[in-house]
C-alpha cells in the first residue's frame, strides 16, 4: 500500500504484468481448462495467475467459478475479496473477508485485508480498529502464523480516527 511500507501486499501476492512465466502459465491453464472446465484446482490456479497479472476482473470470474464448485477455502475468499476491492467494490470485498473469517477465525490475511479496506476504501476507522484488535488477538494467540508487524496499519487507522 502506498505510503505504508510496513504493510505486506494485499492478498499476499505481487503484481507481475510482464512476467513471461506467468504468461506461459496462463496459456497452459487455458489448455487444461478447455479439457476440464469444472476443475476447482484449475479454476483456482487460473484465478491466482490472473490475480498475479493484475487482471482482477478476470481473476474474479475464475474465483467465482471455483467458489461455485467448492466454498471452503478462506484463501479463495480472501483473494476474491481483494479482486472485488481492486475493481471498485469494497463492500463486496468486506463480505468475502467476513466469509473467510467464518471459515477460519485465525485466517489473518482476511482480517488484515478487512481492516485495510475499512480504513482506506470505506473511511471506517472505527470498524478498522475493531478488526485490528481482533487481528492483534489472533497474533497473540497464534505466534506460529508469522503475522507481520501491524504498526503501519495501526498508525494509518489512528491517523484517520482524528
Amino acid at each position: 500500500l502506498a505510503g505504508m511500507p510496513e504493510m505486506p501486499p494485499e492478498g499476499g501476492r505481487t503484481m507481475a504484468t510482464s512476467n513471461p512465466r506467468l504468461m506461459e502459465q496462463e496459456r497452459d491453464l487455458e489448455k487444461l481448462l478447455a479439457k476440464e472446465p469444472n476443475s476447482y484446482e484449475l479454476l483456482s490456479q487460473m484465478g491466482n495467475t490472473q490475480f498475479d497479472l493484475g487482471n482482477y476482473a478476470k481473476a474474479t470470474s475464475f474465483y467465482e467459478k471455483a467458489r461455485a464448485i467448492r466454498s471452503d477455502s478462506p484463501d479463495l475468499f480472501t483473494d476474491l475479496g481483494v479482486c472485488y476491492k481492486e475493481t471498485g467494490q469494497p463492500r463486496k470485498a468486506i463480505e468475502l473477508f467476513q466469509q473467510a473469517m467464518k471459515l477460519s477465525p485465525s485466517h489473518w490475511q482476511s482480517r488484515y485485508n478487512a481492516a485495510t479496506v475499512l480504513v482506506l476504501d470505506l473511511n471506517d476507522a472505527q470498524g478498522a480498529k475493531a478488526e485490528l484488535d481482533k487481528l492483534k488477538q489472533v497474533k497473540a494467540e497464534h505466534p506460529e502464523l508469522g503475522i507481520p508487524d501491524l504498526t503501519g496499519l495501526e498508525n494509518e487507522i489512528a491517523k484517520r480516527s482524528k
Side-chain angles (χ1 to χ4, degrees), residues 20-100:
R21 183 189 59 77
L22 287 174
M23 301 300 286
E24 181 178 345
Q25 185 174 330
E26 177 185 31
R27 288 188 297 273
D28 291 344
L29 286 167
E30 285 172 350
K31 292 174 190 171
L32 293 169
L33 279 165
K35 295 175 186 172
E36 296 182 65
N38 294 318
S39 167
Y40 173 85
E41 289 76 18
L42 293 175
L43 289 165
S44 297
Q45 287 175 20
M46 182 61 99
N48 291 342
T49 300
Q50 295 301 325
F51 186 113
D52 290 344
L53 287 166
N55 298 330
Y56 299 109
K58 283 184 178 181
T60 299
S61 176
F62 287 104
Y63 286 143
E64 286 289 8
K65 289 175 185 174
R67 181 169 76 139
I69 295 167
R70 202 176 97 208
S71 59
D72 62 351
S73 170
D75 291 329
L76 186 128
F77 278 104
T78 301
D79 290 345
L80 182 56
V82 172
C83 289
Y84 276 108
K85 180 250 188 231
E86 291 295 333
T87 57
Q89 299 179 66
R91 293 198 189 286
K92 179 71 174 172
I94 293 296
E95 290 173 23
L96 290 158
F97 299 145
Q98 289 171 342
Q99 289 178 352

